[in-house]
């Protein structure tokens, strides 16, 4: 099938390119625009208690005051606020309310801090648009106005709260995307120049993938709109890396095999057809594993991950089609001139480094398995120290952003939980008014919970059927202690609810607790489903039951090593309180799915060598010799492109960039390069049970482009003998034509 695809696109390259351009233009021109949300509560389904509490608040207290923005004031000299300063704050609050800014419903003065150095203005916005760009726009106007109104006073003001966080998150995301895009571009360009020493080949994938990215983004917009999924600004940064990183991987898979066929004497177009025919199955299987793994995120209960899965799957699918059609068409038009001015494509360097590595795997597979496996096991020990943190807003922007400064200042100036109090909503089960006589005792029981700073009755609905108790925690809303405390508050709120009533607990800590429960659900659902589906793809590709089992086990070990190393670097080394809560899920999918790419490429080449009559150990050595350079180049580029996410300057993308790049490096340079071929060599023919995928064909089909003649077989043997006798030189390793 893949050879047929190669024949079509190579024989009709112009039409293939034109079809891609027309499709890209049409999709981009008609694709809808997508709003992005930063409201954590929108990521959860309605079955969770925190979301039920939010719905009850809207119904029972439609005019309840919930600040979306907080202006925090302090004197420029750091001293206590004077009466004159407080009068200035009152004036600023009144004037802000009189400006009638879009989305702003109410502006009221807040309470001074206990040390007298801070006070606030609280701004309520339309709750229906929480987390949406229009509220970020309102925060931008508020921030400008409040700073303007403090001129001529002894005050300085900063704007925080959820709307201001959304604004800062947008700005941080734009800066991060720019840095990631530039870094990715430069890494791919420079690395390809070093590998091929050909400017056309270095620029070509960037141009092709740029076209693919416009088409993919349009398709993602359609899918997000069609299935009513949540959009988040962080996804754009991840998409840049996935499209260019994975796209360059598939480009390398194809170009290394194309160069190999040219060295074998194939005519230019026939070389590309053969390259697509031989490596197309490996590329399609690798992409299929990634797509299925990402689609498994659709089973997530978190809106953020539920949207990310299909988006990334669409991006990889578009990249796959480009790798099998657009890239072969463009390269076939250019021909061998694509390698200009380098002439190294015409010959394979003798005594290449990967030939020596291949001999090491062939001669000492048991030692290779033990050493590489031990490295993975030791790194995996760090997973026992893993802790999660749930503050997506602060995790997705630097601590120096104004809204983060406000959050930190309020934690020190007020009770740590004052910025995001917990609400307990007590409602009647029979729609009759609640008995107010028990309210004081109920509030006292809530206040007595360990970790609670205070609890009081805030308001009662007009019909008397619902009461709102504000519970202030001693801890910042996203900390482990706050999440544990809110769990205890839930227990007391439920068990001590007066007869004829029931309680639900809302607020940010309650949302974070539900997010934690949702992530644990995803661990139990997404992980096994993704692993099972990838194993099915491996089984279909390799016609084996045994090989997929140990391949997935090795990739799982790579995931453990990656998470362990990330814990040691960021929790133990950098002092982070924990890793972002969705990191293990994302890491699992990237490391398992993309890491499987390199295993697929290596094991497919190993099978190819075995089918030519080599023993399991010889096949493993030859597979590393020929596929090793491709895996090394692709792994380095993909790991380096993901590492550019660390340039974004926020905890989420920094942790994600390190974890995924480290995981890909482990997958390429430990698993695919040593662990997998060595283990396959040790298992031998049993690795292919119940099929016989590694058995040599009795007779090769006549005229097959890669049939080995007796003369070629002798040439192979002579070259292997010569490699064994001669010393290894430090030279750029490249695949060798068979």
């Amino acid at each position: 099938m893949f050879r047929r695809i190669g024949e079509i696109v190579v024989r009709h390259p112009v039409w293939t390119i034109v079809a891609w351009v027309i499709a890209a233009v049409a999709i981009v021109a008609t694709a809808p625009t997508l709003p992005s949300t930063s409201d954590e509560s929108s990521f959860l389904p309605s079955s969770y208690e925190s979301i039920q509490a939010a719905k009850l608040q809207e119904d029972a207290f439609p005019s309840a005051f919930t600040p979306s923005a907080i202006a925090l004031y302090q004197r420029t000299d750091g001293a206590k606020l004077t009466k004159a300063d407080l009068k200035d704050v009152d004036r600023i609050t009144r004037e802000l309310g009189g400006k009638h800014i879009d989305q702003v419903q109410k502006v009221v003065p807040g309470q001074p801090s206990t040390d007298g150095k801070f006070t606030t203005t609280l701004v309520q916005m339309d709750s229906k648009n929480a987390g949406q760009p229009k509220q970020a726009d309102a925060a931008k106007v508020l921030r400008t106005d409040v700073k303007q109104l403090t001129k001529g006073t002894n005050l300085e003001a900063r704007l925080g709260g959820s709307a201001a966080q959304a604004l800062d998150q947008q700005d941080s995301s734009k800066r991060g995307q720019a840095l990631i895009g530039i870094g990715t571009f430069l890494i791919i360009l420079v690395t390809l120049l070093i590998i091929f020493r050909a400017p056309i080949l270095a620029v070509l994938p960037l141009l092709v993938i740029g076209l693919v990215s416009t088409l993919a983004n349009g398709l993602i917009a359609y899918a997000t709109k069609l299935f009513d999924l949540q959009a988040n600004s962080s996804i754009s940064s991840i998409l840049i890396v996935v499209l260019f990183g994975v796209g360059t991987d598939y480009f390398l898979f194809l170009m290394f095999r194309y160069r190999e066929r040219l060295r074998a004497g194939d005519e230019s177009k026939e070389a590309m057809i053969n390259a697509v025919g031989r490596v197309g199955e490996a590329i399609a299987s690798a992409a299929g594993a990634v797509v299925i793994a990402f689609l498994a995120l659709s089973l997530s209960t978190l809106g953020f991950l539920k949207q990310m899965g299909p988006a990334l799957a669409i991006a990889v699918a578009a990249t796959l089609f480009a790798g099998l059609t657009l890239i072969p068409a463009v390269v076939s038009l250019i021909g061998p001139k694509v390698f200009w001015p380098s002439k190294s494509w015409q010959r394979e360097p003798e005594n290449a480094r990967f030939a020596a590595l291949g001999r090491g795997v062939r001669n000492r597979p048991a030692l290779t398995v033990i050493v590489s496996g031990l490295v993975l096991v030791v790194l995996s020990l760090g997973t026992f120290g893993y802790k999660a943190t749930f503050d997506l807003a602060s995790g997705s922007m630097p601590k120096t952003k104004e809204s983060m400064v406000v959050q930190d200042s309020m934690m020190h100036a007020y009770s740590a939980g004052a910025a995001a109090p917990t609400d307990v909503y007590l409602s009647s089960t029979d729609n009759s008014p609640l008995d107010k006589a028990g309210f004081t005792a109920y509030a006292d029981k809530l206040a007595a919970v360990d970790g609670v700073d205070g609890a009081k009755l805030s308001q009662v609905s007009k019909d008397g059927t619902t009461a709102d108790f504000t519970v202030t925690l001693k801890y910042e809303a996203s900390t482990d202690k706050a999440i544990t405390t809110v769990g205890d508050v839930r227990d007391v709120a439920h068990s001590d609810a007066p007869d004829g009533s029931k309680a639900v607990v809302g607020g940010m800590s309650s949302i974070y607790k539900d997010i934690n429960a949702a992530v644990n659900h995803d661990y139990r659902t997404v992980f096994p489903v993704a692993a099972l589906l990838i194993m099915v793809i491996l089984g279909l590709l390799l016609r084996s039951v045994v090989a997929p089992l140990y391949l997935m086990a090795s990739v799982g070990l790579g995931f453990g090593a990656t998470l362990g190393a990330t814990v040691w670097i960021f929790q133990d080394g950098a002092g982070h309180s924990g890793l972002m809560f969705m990191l293990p899920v994302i890491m699992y999918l990237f490391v398992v799915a993309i890491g499987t790419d390199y295993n697929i490429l290596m094991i497919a080449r190993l099978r190819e060598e075995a089918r030519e009559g080599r023993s399991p150990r010889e096949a493993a050595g030859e597979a590393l010799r020929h596929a090793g350079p491709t895996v090394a180049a692709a792994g380095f580029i993909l790991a380096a492109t993901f590492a550019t996410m660390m340039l974004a300057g926020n905890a989420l993308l920094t942790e994600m960039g390190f974890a995924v790049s480290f995981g890909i490096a482990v997958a390429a340079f430990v698993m695919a390069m040593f662990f997998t071929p060595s283990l396959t060599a040790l298992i031998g023919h049993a690795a292919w049970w119940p099929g016989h995928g590694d058995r040599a064909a009795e007779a090769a089909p006549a005229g097959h482009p890669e049939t080995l003649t007796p003369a070629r077989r002798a040439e192979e043997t002579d070259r292997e003998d010569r490699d064994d006798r001669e010393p290894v030189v430090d030279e750029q390793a490249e695949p060798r034509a068979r």
Side-chain angles (χ1 to χ4, degrees), residues 6-129:
E7 289 176 343
I8 293 173
V9 299
V10 170
R11 304 301 181 197
H12 307 285
V14 175
W15 286 112
T16 302
I17 297 169
V18 169
W20 266 94
V21 172
I22 291 175
V25 171
I27 290 174
V28 171
T30 59
T33 56
L34 291 177
S36 175
T37 180
S38 59
D39 180 15
E40 282 92 340
S41 65
S42 67
F43 299 154
L44 289 167
S46 59
S47 58
Y48 284 91
E49 182 171 344
S50 59
I51 306 305
Q52 294 172 1
K55 180 66 168 61
L56 180 60
Q57 179 194 22
E58 290 180 7
D59 294 339
F61 307 103
S63 59
F65 188 90
T66 303
S68 298
I70 301 172
L72 181 67
Y73 306 93
Q74 67 180 123
R75 284 183 60 89
T76 55
D77 58 8
K80 288 185 177 182
L81 297 171
T82 64
K83 290 183 179 180
D85 295 329
L86 294 176
K87 286 183 179 180
D88 285 332
V89 171
D90 288 339
R91 173 186 58 80
I92 294 169
T93 301
R94 290 194 304 272
E95 292 187 23
L96 280 177
K99 288 181 176 291
H100 304 294
I101 299 169
D102 181 46
Q103 295 297 305
V104 173
Q105 297 178 330
K106 190 182 297 184
V107 182
V108 299
Q111 294 295 321
S113 62
T114 53
D115 62 6
K117 292 183 177 181
F118 296 88
T119 192
T120 59
T121 293
L122 307 179
V123 181
Q124 182 182 24
M125 297 187 186
D126 187 352
S127 61
K128 295 179 181 178
N129 295 319

Side-chain angles (χ1 to χ4, degrees), residues 196-526:
F196 293 107
R197 300 178 182 86
I200 297 176
L201 268 182
V203 174
L204 183 60
L206 296 171
L207 296 177
V208 171
I209 298 168
L211 175 63
V212 174
S213 70
T214 59
L215 182 143
N217 277 295
L219 292 175
I220 290 167
Y222 275 119
T224 303
K225 194 83 170 179
L226 179 63
F227 297 105
D228 193 27
L229 301 172
Q230 295 292 339
N232 186 276
S233 55
S234 297
I235 293 178
S236 299
S237 300
I238 300 171
L239 274 175
I240 294 172
V241 177
V242 169
L243 280 164
F244 282 89
V246 174
T248 304
D249 265 14
Y250 298 158
F251 176 81
L252 286 171
F253 290 177
L254 186 67
M255 292 309 301
F256 271 92
R257 185 55 74 100
Y258 173 61
R259 185 176 62 180
E260 182 177 336
R261 295 313 311 155
L262 288 175
R263 287 171 175 170
D266 287 357
E267 180 270 332
S268 175
K269 290 187 179 296
E270 189 65 24
M272 180 55 72
I273 293 172
N274 288 337
V276 175
R278 296 306 292 269
V279 84
E281 184 180 22
I283 292 177
S285 299
V290 178
V291 168
I292 284 181
F294 286 157
L295 286 177
L297 280 177
S298 300
L299 301 175
S300 172
T301 51
L302 291 171
F304 173 78
L305 296 178
K306 191 182 284 286
Q307 193 269 344
M308 179 185 288
L312 297 179
I314 290 170
V316 174
T319 305
L320 167 64
F321 285 116
L324 295 177
T325 59
L326 183 57
I327 292 174
V330 173
V331 174
S332 66
L333 276 180
I334 302 172
K337 292 181 180 178
V338 75
F339 297 104
W340 178 88
S342 174
K343 298 186 182 300
S344 62
W345 65 271
Q346 298 173 349
R347 64 192 183 282
E348 178 191 3
E350 298 291 338
N351 305 313
R353 178 178 299 171
F354 287 93
L357 294 177
R359 290 196 298 275
V361 168
R362 181 189 66 192
N363 297 332
R364 302 178 188 84
L367 179 62
T368 306
V369 168
I370 292 172
V371 173
S372 57
L374 188 61
V375 170
L376 298 176
V377 170
V378 170
L379 289 173
S380 298
L381 296 177
T383 59
F384 293 106
Y386 167 73
K387 294 180 181 179
T389 183
F390 299 90
D391 190 354
L392 184 61
S394 62
S396 56
M397 71 184 92
K399 290 293 186 181
T400 54
K401 284 292 186 179
E402 185 171 329
S403 59
M404 293 296 97
V405 173
V406 170
Q407 179 174 289
D408 291 342
S409 298
M410 291 192 67
M411 284 177 57
H412 292 93
Y414 297 82
S415 170
T422 295
D423 289 285
V424 177
Y425 298 100
L426 192 66
S427 59
S428 172
T429 55
D430 57 4
N431 292 324
S432 60
L434 294 168
D435 182 5
K436 297 181 180 180
F439 284 174
T440 301
Y442 188 66
D444 290 341
K445 290 178 181 178
L446 294 174
V449 174
D450 187 31
V452 171
D453 193 50
K456 64 178 182 178
L457 174 67
S458 298
Q459 54 188 332
V460 179
S461 62
K462 290 182 179 179
D463 59 6
T465 60
T466 303
D468 175 14
F469 294 83
T470 299
V471 179
T472 304
L473 307 184
K474 295 179 180 179
Y475 316 108
E476 196 274 321
S478 64
T479 61
D480 289 339
K481 289 182 178 180
I483 293 170
T484 300
T485 300
V486 86
D488 296 336
V489 170
R490 282 184 177 182
D491 292 339
V492 171
H494 297 161
S495 62
D496 291 329
D499 293 339
S501 67
K502 64 177 181 179
V504 290
V505 181
M508 290 310 302
S509 293
S510 185
I511 289 172
Y512 292 140
K513 183 172 182 59
D514 286 341
I515 288 177
N516 187 30
V519 170
N520 290 332
H521 166 272
D522 291 349
Y523 291 160
R524 298 189 298 268
T525 306
V526 176

Side-chain angles (χ1 to χ4, degrees), residues 597-611:
D597 280 11
Y598 305 127
N599 269 341
I600 286 175
L601 187 69
M602 186 62 72
I603 204 75
R605 187 61 185 248
L606 192 152
R607 180 185 62 179
E608 190 177 318
E609 298 294 341
R611 283 176 171 176

